[in-house]
Amino acid sequence: MPLNRRTFLERSAAAGAGVALAGAVTAPAEAAEQTPAGAGRPHPRKRYAFTVMGTTDLHGNVFNWDYFTDKEFDDKAHNDVGLAKISTLVNQVRAAKGEGNTLLIDAGDTIQGTQLSYYYAKVDPITQAGGPVHPMAQAMNAIGYDAAALGNHEFNYGIPVLRKFQQQCDFPLLGANALDAKTLRPAFPPFSMHRLCTPHGRDVKVAVLGLTNPGIAIWDKANVTGKMVFPGLEEQAAKWVPKLRSMGADVVIVSAHSGSSGTSSYGDQLPYVENAAGLVAEQVPGIDAILVGHAHTEIPEYKVTNKATGKDVVLSEPLKWGQRLTLFDFELVWEKGRWLVEKVGATVLNSNTVAEDPEITGLLADEHKKVVEYVNQVIGTSTAAMTTADAPWKDEPIIDLINVVQAETVKAALAGGAYGSLPVLSQASCFSRTARIPAGAVSIKDAAGLYPFENTLEARLMTGAQLKDYLEYSARYYVQTPAGAPVDTAKLTNAGNTPDYNYDAVSGLAYDIDIAKPAGQRIVNLTFQGRPLDPAAQFVLAVNNYRASGGGAFPHVAKAQQLWANSDEIRNTIIQWVKAKGTIDPGVFASVDWKLTRDGVPVF
């Protein structure tokens, strides 16, 4: 693969270059150091320092905006999101370090996650003749990214959308372990090579190796089967890192869309580890640093000792959606005719410390306006108002709505197949206690607000006995409350710090939850179609991919046979369902199938 000389963007370094970076960055160390040599005769020791900036899991965020609430993004920690914020930080780092002493890379999951990215994949798709340029491509090109690894969510909208996005990017999308299914050759560039000019003659050659997640083969089975395969990260890193060194790379950085924990969420369905970045650092010699993605956690700096060399590899994962920017600071020394990495450190910068870059917000102002108008479109009407205010302790129609959409979607997908005759049940959680569907006009943001997470839908094969265990596990959410004792809803739920999103109601069954009993013994009067549930009976469970992949540690479901999986987000499935129906009528789908009891007496 030919060496690619880095293209630098001409830009102003205005916008207050040191405000957010005070104490976080230093000027590049380029001066020669006098060291003793021989009989007291000093000679200069050449040194050079540079910085690699990194983002990951941007998930379609350009603006500091929540399209589902239709207002500026905010959370409990007052984080900010978006590439417009990241751009300001990048400008500051380049001004402080010298633009020629920096690189900017990403670790994947770029084109899915917000209604901005959905709009340009589905509503006004970039793949149409004369279609638009994807907002993420426009923003990342303007900011001046040098390379980005592929994330698993890059495949959600199909390979044609990904290929068009790839064409629109001025930087390479890397995936050394995304292989053509027939030739087993890389379907994307495995790496990129970058030259940094030093004041001492020979350039520094920096190789960026991109690795993506092998779980794509499961999560986007419908889009990639027969087209691409995704072997393990360790295997492909061991193949490519020596090649990069033989090509003259002084520094090797891995951009890995894979967490650092060494765990997998998809059980034994694939022989590869999902969160393998730490294993790559430990097992593959010759890597200096790894930009970690996929896990949506913040890891400013994490050092892993390589077993072969005994040297530390520095890992860093910036927080998702553009909330953080990682800085890898490299210090090199010239020895024996080559550059050697003497020191690597990593820190993260918080994007809530800066304003949005007006260059980026101005560039995409029209696209942003279109999407805001889109999410406020009326897509149907509701015959009654529905809220989640009481959903944590009552079977509410608004949760039934999620379940009916999921169940109908799975039934349609399985129709005519080997499992098409099995009854379909569905699980759903109360993700937000403030979600609501108004009576009358219903907008896209109303429907999407029911499902604030990026979960997709699966179908898993379960038995009656397994479902009983599943419900018992879910019911641990309630604080044990003796019969006759007062019930305070403010203290009734979240036992053992169980979050609301880890309490599932299952539709298609009828059951009581006796909160006077200890956890594990609470599900009583469990029936299917009016008869006691047969432990041996088979059912299809419509379940979100978070739960199906082990999220919340619910029993049986992660190991259950997967019958079908969808790559579209559940919230978009809900939107399409409302559009197709036109009218949401709780009288048609809502029913009270579960209730809280104590010694057989309903609590509410």
Side-chain angles (χ1 to χ4, degrees):
M1 181 174 178
L3 300 183
N4 297 319
R5 184 174 294 274
R6 181 170 179 243
T7 302
F8 294 109
L9 297 177
E10 297 275 326
R11 62 171 63 248
S12 168
V19 179
L21 300 173
V25 298
T26 57
E30 297 175 343
E33 179 184 287
Q34 297 292 328
T35 58
R41 293 171 55 197
H43 68 79
R45 216 173 171 206
K46 299 174 182 176
R47 295 186 179 278
Y48 177 68
F50 70 96
T51 296
V52 176
M53 298 173 280
T55 55
T56 190
D57 296 279
L58 293 168
H59 283 288
N61 285 280
V62 174
F63 295 83
N64 186 42
W65 193 260
D66 185 339
Y67 291 97
F68 297 117
T69 61
D70 200 19
K71 60 184 180 182
E72 186 173 300
F73 176 88
D74 195 21
D75 61 14
K76 291 180 181 178
H78 301 299
N79 288 302
D80 288 344
V81 301
L83 278 169
K85 291 268 185 171
I86 290 295
S87 183
T88 301
L89 291 176
V90 167
N91 289 341
Q92 292 180 352
V93 174
R94 286 173 174 160
K97 301 277 190 177
E99 186 170 345
N101 302 313
T102 66
L103 293 170
L104 175 60
I105 64 176
D106 183 80
D109 275 6
T110 304
I111 59 171
Q112 174 275 346
T114 64
Q115 287 297 300
L116 180 69
S117 53
Y118 177 81
Y119 187 90
Y120 289 97
K122 294 286 192 179
V123 181
D124 186 12
I126 61 174
T127 49
Q128 64 186 318
V133 177
H134 199 288
M136 295 301 287
Q138 291 191 59
M140 295 174 82
N141 289 342
I143 295 169
Y145 273 78
D146 294 286
L150 293 166
N152 54 284
H153 283 287
E154 260 64 84
F155 294 84
N156 285 176
Y157 297 123
I159 292 174
V161 170
L162 174 54
R163 287 300 191 192
K164 188 64 178 180
F165 176 70
Q166 180 187 25
Q167 294 172 12
Q168 294 177 342
C169 291
D170 294 341
F171 52 90
L173 299 183
L174 308 177
N177 63 327
L179 309 182
D180 181 273
K182 294 180 180 178
T183 66
L184 297 185
R185 290 183 168 184
F188 294 83
F191 67 91
S192 58
M193 194 78 79
H194 310 268
R195 290 179 180 267
L196 300 179
C197 297
T198 77
H200 308 301
R202 184 176 179 273
D203 295 344
V204 171
K205 298 178 183 177
V206 181
V208 179
L209 178 68
L211 296 169
T212 192
N213 205 288
I216 295 166
I218 293 175
W219 302 321
D220 267 298
K221 186 177 181 179
N223 289 328
V224 301
T225 297
K227 300 174 183 176
M228 294 185 192
V229 293
F230 303 87
L233 284 82
E234 308 99 305
E235 168 194 324
Q236 294 302 304
K239 173 183 176 180
W240 284 101
V241 171
K243 290 184 179 180
L244 297 175
R245 290 294 183 180
S246 69
M247 293 171 64
D250 301 298
V251 179
V252 173
I253 302 166
V254 173
S255 183
H257 193 75
S258 180
S260 61
S261 66
T263 62
S264 289
S265 65
Y266 45 77
D268 57 1
Q269 297 180 64
L270 278 181
Y272 310 118
V273 176
E274 175 184 351
N275 296 301
L279 297 175
V280 171
E282 180 183 77
Q283 297 175 13
V284 181
I287 299 169
D288 297 298
I290 301 179
L291 177 66
V292 178
H294 183 61
H296 288 204
T297 57
E298 181 177 350
I299 305 174
E301 182 183 69
Y302 174 46
K303 294 183 178 180
V304 175
T305 302
N306 183 266
K307 286 184 175 180
T309 65
K311 294 182 179 179
D312 284 343
V313 181
V314 177
L315 285 68
S316 181
E317 181 175 6
L319 197 57
K320 64 186 185 297
W321 305 345
Q323 295 178 59
R324 304 288 186 273
L325 176 70
T326 279
L327 305 185
F328 290 107
D329 290 311
F330 291 85
E331 296 181 14
L332 277 61
V333 62
W334 180 264
E335 284 189 1
K336 298 179 181 179
R338 60 179 181 147
W339 288 109
L340 296 177
V341 175
E342 190 173 54
K343 184 179 179 182
V344 186
T347 55
V348 296
L349 303 180
N350 193 329
S351 66
N352 72 4
T353 62
V354 296
E356 292 182 311
D357 183 350
E359 179 184 346
I360 304 304
T361 56
L363 178 69
L364 292 166
D366 289 343
E367 288 84 347
H368 176 66
K369 181 181 177 182
K370 282 183 183 179
V371 176
V372 169
E373 291 173 349
Y374 165 74
V375 299
N376 282 285
Q377 283 181 21
V378 173
I379 55 173
T381 59
S382 178
T383 61
M386 297 179 284
T387 78
T388 54
D390 294 335
W393 48 84
K394 291 182 181 179
D395 187 350
E396 290 287 275
I398 198 167
I399 303 300
D400 292 340
L401 174 59
I402 298 173
N403 275 326
V404 73
V405 171
Q406 293 182 164
E408 288 187 4
T409 302
V410 168
K411 284 177 185 176
L414 298 181
Y419 301 95
S421 62
L422 289 180
V424 177
L425 313 178
S426 178
Q427 63 77 223
S429 303
C430 176
F431 295 119
S432 166
R433 298 192 184 193
T434 59
R436 62 185 295 273
I437 296 291
V442 176
S443 69
I444 286 176
K445 75 171 186 290
D446 293 328
L450 293 181
Y451 221 104
F453 296 109
E454 299 87 9
N455 298 342
T456 57
L457 187 61
E458 296 190 16
R460 296 284 178 129
L461 186 64
M462 302 275 281
T463 67
Q466 290 174 330
L467 287 162
K468 170 71 159 51
D469 291 345
Y470 189 100
L471 290 170
E472 287 285 11
Y473 183 84
S474 184
R476 68 195 172 92
Y477 170 74
Y478 294 105
V479 174
Q480 187 173 2
T481 310
V487 175
D488 181 357
T489 56
K491 300 176 181 179
L492 177 63
T493 62
N494 308 102
N497 295 318
T498 301
D500 290 347
Y501 61 76
N502 275 342
Y503 169 64
D504 286 358
V506 174
S507 72
L509 300 175
Y511 56 96
D512 296 341
I513 303 173
D514 191 333
I515 60 173
K517 297 180 182 294
Q521 304 173 31
R522 292 177 171 174
I523 302 301
V524 294
N525 302 324
L526 178 58
T527 63
F528 172 67
Q529 294 183 343
R531 297 180 179 179
L533 183 67
D534 180 358
Q538 288 189 317
F539 297 87
V540 176
L541 181 66
V543 58
N544 70 58
N545 68 309
Y546 171 77
R547 187 71 76 239
S549 62
F554 277 62
H556 307 304
V557 66
K559 294 183 179 180
Q561 181 181 350
Q562 183 192 72
L563 306 180
W564 172 84
N566 190 12
S567 62
D568 202 4
E569 298 163 14
I570 291 171
R571 60 190 173 201
N572 288 323
T573 303
I574 294 171
I575 291 168
Q576 296 307 316
W577 186 92
V578 174
K579 280 185 175 180
K581 296 289 185 182
T583 300
I584 303 172
D585 184 358
V588 173
F589 60 79
S591 61
V592 178
D593 296 320
W594 65 270
K595 60 182 179 295
L596 301 187
T597 63
R598 290 183 295 183
D599 294 343
V601 179
V603 175
F604 301 105

Short mmCIF file of all heavy atoms in Angstrom, two decimals, residues 133-171:
data_model
loop_
_atom_site.label_atom_id
_atom_site.label_comp_id
_atom_site.label_asym_id
_atom_site.label_seq_id
_atom_site.Cartn_x
_atom_site.Cartn_y
_atom_site.Cartn_z
N VAL A 133 -24.28 15.15 0.29
CA VAL A 133 -23.08 14.65 0.97
C VAL A 133 -23.43 14.47 2.44
O VAL A 133 -24.06 15.34 3.05
CB VAL A 133 -21.90 15.63 0.82
CG1 VAL A 133 -20.68 15.12 1.60
CG2 VAL A 133 -21.55 15.82 -0.65
N HIS A 134 -23.09 13.33 2.98
CA HIS A 134 -23.45 13.03 4.36
C HIS A 134 -22.92 14.11 5.31
O HIS A 134 -21.76 14.52 5.19
CB HIS A 134 -22.89 11.67 4.76
CG HIS A 134 -23.55 11.06 5.95
ND1 HIS A 134 -23.35 11.54 7.23
CD2 HIS A 134 -24.41 10.02 6.07
CE1 HIS A 134 -24.07 10.82 8.08
NE2 HIS A 134 -24.71 9.89 7.40
N PRO A 135 -23.73 14.58 6.26
CA PRO A 135 -23.27 15.62 7.19
C PRO A 135 -22.01 15.23 7.95
O PRO A 135 -21.17 16.09 8.23
CB PRO A 135 -24.46 15.80 8.14
CG PRO A 135 -25.64 15.37 7.36
CD PRO A 135 -25.16 14.27 6.46
N MET A 136 -21.87 13.94 8.29
CA MET A 136 -20.67 13.53 9.01
C MET A 136 -19.44 13.61 8.12
O MET A 136 -18.35 13.98 8.58
CB MET A 136 -20.84 12.12 9.57
CG MET A 136 -21.92 12.00 10.63
SD MET A 136 -21.65 13.06 12.07
CE MET A 136 -20.29 12.20 12.88
N ALA A 137 -19.59 13.31 6.85
CA ALA A 137 -18.47 13.47 5.91
C ALA A 137 -18.11 14.93 5.76
O ALA A 137 -16.92 15.30 5.77
CB ALA A 137 -18.82 12.85 4.56
N GLN A 138 -19.13 15.78 5.62
CA GLN A 138 -18.85 17.22 5.48
C GLN A 138 -18.11 17.76 6.68
O GLN A 138 -17.11 18.48 6.55
CB GLN A 138 -20.17 17.98 5.30
CG GLN A 138 -20.89 17.74 3.99
CD GLN A 138 -22.03 18.73 3.80
OE1 GLN A 138 -21.82 19.95 3.79
NE2 GLN A 138 -23.24 18.20 3.64
N ALA A 139 -18.59 17.42 7.88
CA ALA A 139 -17.98 17.95 9.10
C ALA A 139 -16.57 17.40 9.30
O ALA A 139 -15.63 18.16 9.61
CB ALA A 139 -18.86 17.62 10.30
N MET A 140 -16.40 16.10 9.12
CA MET A 140 -15.08 15.49 9.37
C MET A 140 -14.06 15.93 8.32
O MET A 140 -12.88 16.11 8.63
CB MET A 140 -15.21 13.97 9.42
CG MET A 140 -16.05 13.49 10.60
SD MET A 140 -16.39 11.72 10.63
CE MET A 140 -14.85 11.10 11.34
N ASN A 141 -14.51 16.14 7.08
CA ASN A 141 -13.61 16.69 6.06
C ASN A 141 -13.16 18.10 6.43
O ASN A 141 -11.99 18.46 6.30
CB ASN A 141 -14.31 16.71 4.70
CG ASN A 141 -14.50 15.32 4.11
OD1 ASN A 141 -13.86 14.36 4.52
ND2 ASN A 141 -15.41 15.21 3.15
N ALA A 142 -14.12 18.91 6.86
CA ALA A 142 -13.79 20.30 7.21
C ALA A 142 -12.86 20.38 8.41
O ALA A 142 -11.97 21.24 8.46
CB ALA A 142 -15.08 21.08 7.48
N ILE A 143 -13.05 19.50 9.36
CA ILE A 143 -12.18 19.50 10.55
C ILE A 143 -10.79 18.99 10.20
O ILE A 143 -9.80 19.41 10.79
CB ILE A 143 -12.82 18.66 11.67
CG1 ILE A 143 -14.14 19.32 12.13
CG2 ILE A 143 -11.89 18.51 12.86
CD1 ILE A 143 -14.98 18.43 13.03
N GLY A 144 -10.73 18.10 9.23
CA GLY A 144 -9.43 17.60 8.79
C GLY A 144 -9.01 16.30 9.43
O GLY A 144 -7.88 16.15 9.89
N TYR A 145 -9.91 15.33 9.45
CA TYR A 145 -9.55 14.00 9.95
C TYR A 145 -8.54 13.35 9.00
O TYR A 145 -8.59 13.55 7.78
CB TYR A 145 -10.79 13.11 10.06
CG TYR A 145 -11.51 13.25 11.39
CD1 TYR A 145 -12.34 14.35 11.63
CD2 TYR A 145 -11.34 12.31 12.41
CE1 TYR A 145 -13.00 14.49 12.84
CE2 TYR A 145 -12.00 12.45 13.63
CZ TYR A 145 -12.82 13.54 13.83
OH TYR A 145 -13.47 13.68 15.04
N ASP A 146 -7.64 12.57 9.58
CA ASP A 146 -6.63 11.87 8.79
C ASP A 146 -6.99 10.42 8.52
O ASP A 146 -6.54 9.85 7.51
CB ASP A 146 -5.28 11.93 9.53
CG ASP A 146 -4.74 13.34 9.61
OD1 ASP A 146 -4.28 13.84 8.58
OD2 ASP A 146 -4.83 13.96 10.69
N ALA A 147 -7.78 9.80 9.39
CA ALA A 147 -8.18 8.41 9.20
C ALA A 147 -9.28 8.08 10.20
O ALA A 147 -9.38 8.72 11.26
CB ALA A 147 -7.00 7.45 9.36
N ALA A 148 -10.09 7.06 9.88
CA ALA A 148 -11.12 6.60 10.81
C ALA A 148 -11.29 5.10 10.64
O ALA A 148 -11.31 4.59 9.51
CB ALA A 148 -12.45 7.31 10.56
N ALA A 149 -11.40 4.39 11.75
CA ALA A 149 -11.72 2.97 11.69
C ALA A 149 -13.21 2.79 11.46
O ALA A 149 -14.02 3.65 11.78
CB ALA A 149 -11.29 2.28 12.99
N LEU A 150 -13.55 1.65 10.91
CA LEU A 150 -14.96 1.29 10.74
C LEU A 150 -15.54 0.83 12.07
O LEU A 150 -14.91 0.06 12.79
CB LEU A 150 -15.11 0.15 9.74
CG LEU A 150 -14.75 0.44 8.28
CD1 LEU A 150 -14.61 -0.87 7.52
CD2 LEU A 150 -15.80 1.33 7.64
N GLY A 151 -16.76 1.27 12.38
CA GLY A 151 -17.48 0.75 13.53
C GLY A 151 -18.53 -0.25 13.08
O GLY A 151 -18.87 -0.32 11.88
N ASN A 152 -19.09 -1.00 14.00
CA ASN A 152 -20.14 -1.95 13.61
C ASN A 152 -21.38 -1.23 13.10
O ASN A 152 -22.06 -1.72 12.18
CB ASN A 152 -20.50 -2.88 14.76
CG ASN A 152 -20.87 -2.16 16.04
OD1 ASN A 152 -20.00 -1.66 16.75
ND2 ASN A 152 -22.16 -2.11 16.37
N HIS A 153 -21.69 -0.06 13.64
CA HIS A 153 -22.90 0.65 13.20
C HIS A 153 -22.74 1.28 11.82
O HIS A 153 -23.74 1.75 11.25
CB HIS A 153 -23.30 1.70 14.23
CG HIS A 153 -23.97 1.13 15.44
ND1 HIS A 153 -25.25 0.64 15.41
CD2 HIS A 153 -23.52 0.94 16.71
CE1 HIS A 153 -25.59 0.19 16.61
NE2 HIS A 153 -24.55 0.35 17.42
N GLU A 154 -21.54 1.28 11.27
CA GLU A 154 -21.36 1.73 9.89
C GLU A 154 -22.14 0.85 8.92
O GLU A 154 -22.46 1.27 7.80
CB GLU A 154 -19.88 1.73 9.51
CG GLU A 154 -19.20 3.07 9.57
CD GLU A 154 -19.13 3.67 10.97
OE1 GLU A 154 -18.21 3.34 11.72
OE2 GLU A 154 -20.02 4.49 11.30
N PHE A 155 -22.44 -0.39 9.32
CA PHE A 155 -23.08 -1.35 8.43
C PHE A 155 -24.60 -1.38 8.59
O PHE A 155 -25.27 -2.13 7.88
CB PHE A 155 -22.50 -2.75 8.68
CG PHE A 155 -21.04 -2.86 8.30
CD1 PHE A 155 -20.04 -2.46 9.17
CD2 PHE A 155 -20.68 -3.35 7.06
CE1 PHE A 155 -18.71 -2.55 8.82
CE2 PHE A 155 -19.34 -3.44 6.70
CZ PHE A 155 -18.35 -3.04 7.57
N ASN A 156 -25.14 -0.58 9.51
CA ASN A 156 -26.57 -0.65 9.82
C ASN A 156 -27.47 -0.34 8.64
O ASN A 156 -28.56 -0.91 8.51
CB ASN A 156 -26.92 0.30 10.95
CG ASN A 156 -26.48 -0.17 12.32
OD1 ASN A 156 -26.64 0.53 13.31
ND2 ASN A 156 -25.92 -1.37 12.42
N TYR A 157 -27.05 0.58 7.78
CA TYR A 157 -27.90 1.01 6.68
C TYR A 157 -27.55 0.30 5.37
O TYR A 157 -28.03 0.69 4.31
CB TYR A 157 -27.81 2.52 6.51
CG TYR A 157 -28.30 3.30 7.71
CD1 TYR A 157 -27.48 4.21 8.37
CD2 TYR A 157 -29.59 3.11 8.20
CE1 TYR A 157 -27.94 4.91 9.48
CE2 TYR A 157 -30.05 3.81 9.30
CZ TYR A 157 -29.22 4.71 9.93
OH TYR A 157 -29.67 5.41 11.04
N GLY A 158 -26.72 -0.73 5.47
CA GLY A 158 -26.34 -1.50 4.29
C GLY A 158 -25.01 -1.04 3.71
O GLY A 158 -24.55 0.09 3.92
N ILE A 159 -24.40 -1.92 2.96
CA ILE A 159 -23.09 -1.64 2.39
C ILE A 159 -23.12 -0.50 1.36
O ILE A 159 -22.18 0.31 1.31
CB ILE A 159 -22.47 -2.93 1.80
CG1 ILE A 159 -22.14 -3.89 2.95
CG2 ILE A 159 -21.22 -2.63 0.98
CD1 ILE A 159 -21.67 -5.26 2.53
N PRO A 160 -24.16 -0.36 0.53
CA PRO A 160 -24.17 0.76 -0.42
C PRO A 160 -24.08 2.13 0.26
O PRO A 160 -23.37 3.03 -0.22
CB PRO A 160 -25.51 0.59 -1.16
CG PRO A 160 -25.77 -0.88 -1.10
CD PRO A 160 -25.28 -1.30 0.24
N VAL A 161 -24.80 2.33 1.37
CA VAL A 161 -24.70 3.59 2.10
C VAL A 161 -23.28 3.79 2.64
O VAL A 161 -22.71 4.89 2.55
CB VAL A 161 -25.73 3.66 3.25
CG1 VAL A 161 -25.46 4.86 4.16
CG2 VAL A 161 -27.14 3.74 2.70
N LEU A 162 -22.69 2.73 3.18
CA LEU A 162 -21.33 2.83 3.70
C LEU A 162 -20.34 3.16 2.60
O LEU A 162 -19.45 4.00 2.78
CB LEU A 162 -20.96 1.53 4.40
CG LEU A 162 -19.51 1.40 4.89
CD1 LEU A 162 -19.12 2.57 5.79
CD2 LEU A 162 -19.31 0.07 5.61
N ARG A 163 -20.48 2.50 1.45
CA ARG A 163 -19.56 2.77 0.34
C ARG A 163 -19.69 4.21 -0.16
O ARG A 163 -18.69 4.85 -0.50
CB ARG A 163 -19.82 1.80 -0.80
CG ARG A 163 -19.36 0.38 -0.53
CD ARG A 163 -17.86 0.30 -0.28
NE ARG A 163 -17.37 -1.07 -0.28
CZ ARG A 163 -16.16 -1.42 0.14
NH1 ARG A 163 -15.31 -0.49 0.58
NH2 ARG A 163 -15.77 -2.67 0.11
N LYS A 164 -20.91 4.72 -0.20
CA LYS A 164 -21.09 6.11 -0.63
C LYS A 164 -20.47 7.06 0.38
O LYS A 164 -19.81 8.04 0.00
CB LYS A 164 -22.58 6.42 -0.80
CG LYS A 164 -22.86 7.78 -1.43
CD LYS A 164 -22.32 7.86 -2.85
CE LYS A 164 -22.64 9.19 -3.49
NZ LYS A 164 -22.12 9.29 -4.87
N PHE A 165 -20.66 6.79 1.66
CA PHE A 165 -20.03 7.60 2.70
C PHE A 165 -18.51 7.55 2.54
O PHE A 165 -17.84 8.58 2.65
CB PHE A 165 -20.44 7.10 4.08
CG PHE A 165 -19.77 7.80 5.23
CD1 PHE A 165 -20.06 9.12 5.54
CD2 PHE A 165 -18.82 7.14 6.00
CE1 PHE A 165 -19.43 9.76 6.60
CE2 PHE A 165 -18.19 7.77 7.06
CZ PHE A 165 -18.49 9.09 7.36
N GLN A 166 -17.98 6.38 2.28
CA GLN A 166 -16.54 6.22 2.08
C GLN A 166 -16.04 7.11 0.94
O GLN A 166 -15.00 7.77 1.06
CB GLN A 166 -16.21 4.76 1.80
CG GLN A 166 -14.73 4.48 1.58
CD GLN A 166 -14.48 3.04 1.14
OE1 GLN A 166 -15.36 2.40 0.55
NE2 GLN A 166 -13.30 2.52 1.41
N GLN A 167 -16.80 7.13 -0.16
CA GLN A 167 -16.42 7.97 -1.30
C GLN A 167 -16.43 9.45 -0.95
O GLN A 167 -15.64 10.23 -1.49
CB GLN A 167 -17.37 7.71 -2.47
CG GLN A 167 -17.30 6.33 -3.08
CD GLN A 167 -18.41 6.09 -4.09
OE1 GLN A 167 -19.11 7.04 -4.50
NE2 GLN A 167 -18.60 4.84 -4.48
N GLN A 168 -17.32 9.83 -0.04
CA GLN A 168 -17.48 11.25 0.29
C GLN A 168 -16.45 11.75 1.30
O GLN A 168 -16.34 12.96 1.50
CB GLN A 168 -18.89 11.49 0.82
CG GLN A 168 -19.98 11.28 -0.24
CD GLN A 168 -21.38 11.44 0.31
OE1 GLN A 168 -21.59 11.38 1.54
NE2 GLN A 168 -22.36 11.64 -0.56
N CYS A 169 -15.74 10.84 1.91
CA CYS A 169 -14.75 11.23 2.92
C CYS A 169 -13.40 11.54 2.27
O CYS A 169 -12.95 10.82 1.37
CB CYS A 169 -14.56 10.12 3.95
SG CYS A 169 -15.99 9.86 5.03
N ASP A 170 -12.73 12.58 2.74
CA ASP A 170 -11.40 12.94 2.26
C ASP A 170 -10.31 12.18 3.01
O ASP A 170 -9.13 12.48 2.84
CB ASP A 170 -11.16 14.44 2.43
CG ASP A 170 -12.08 15.28 1.55
OD1 ASP A 170 -12.62 14.73 0.57
OD2 ASP A 170 -12.27 16.46 1.86
N PHE A 171 -10.69 11.24 3.83
CA PHE A 171 -9.76 10.45 4.63
C PHE A 171 -10.16 8.99 4.50
O PHE A 171 -11.32 8.68 4.19
CB PHE A 171 -9.82 10.89 6.11
CG PHE A 171 -11.21 10.91 6.67
CD1 PHE A 171 -11.76 9.80 7.29
CD2 PHE A 171 -12.00 12.06 6.55
CE1 PHE A 171 -13.06 9.81 7.78
CE2 PHE A 171 -13.31 12.07 7.04
CZ PHE A 171 -13.83 10.95 7.66
#
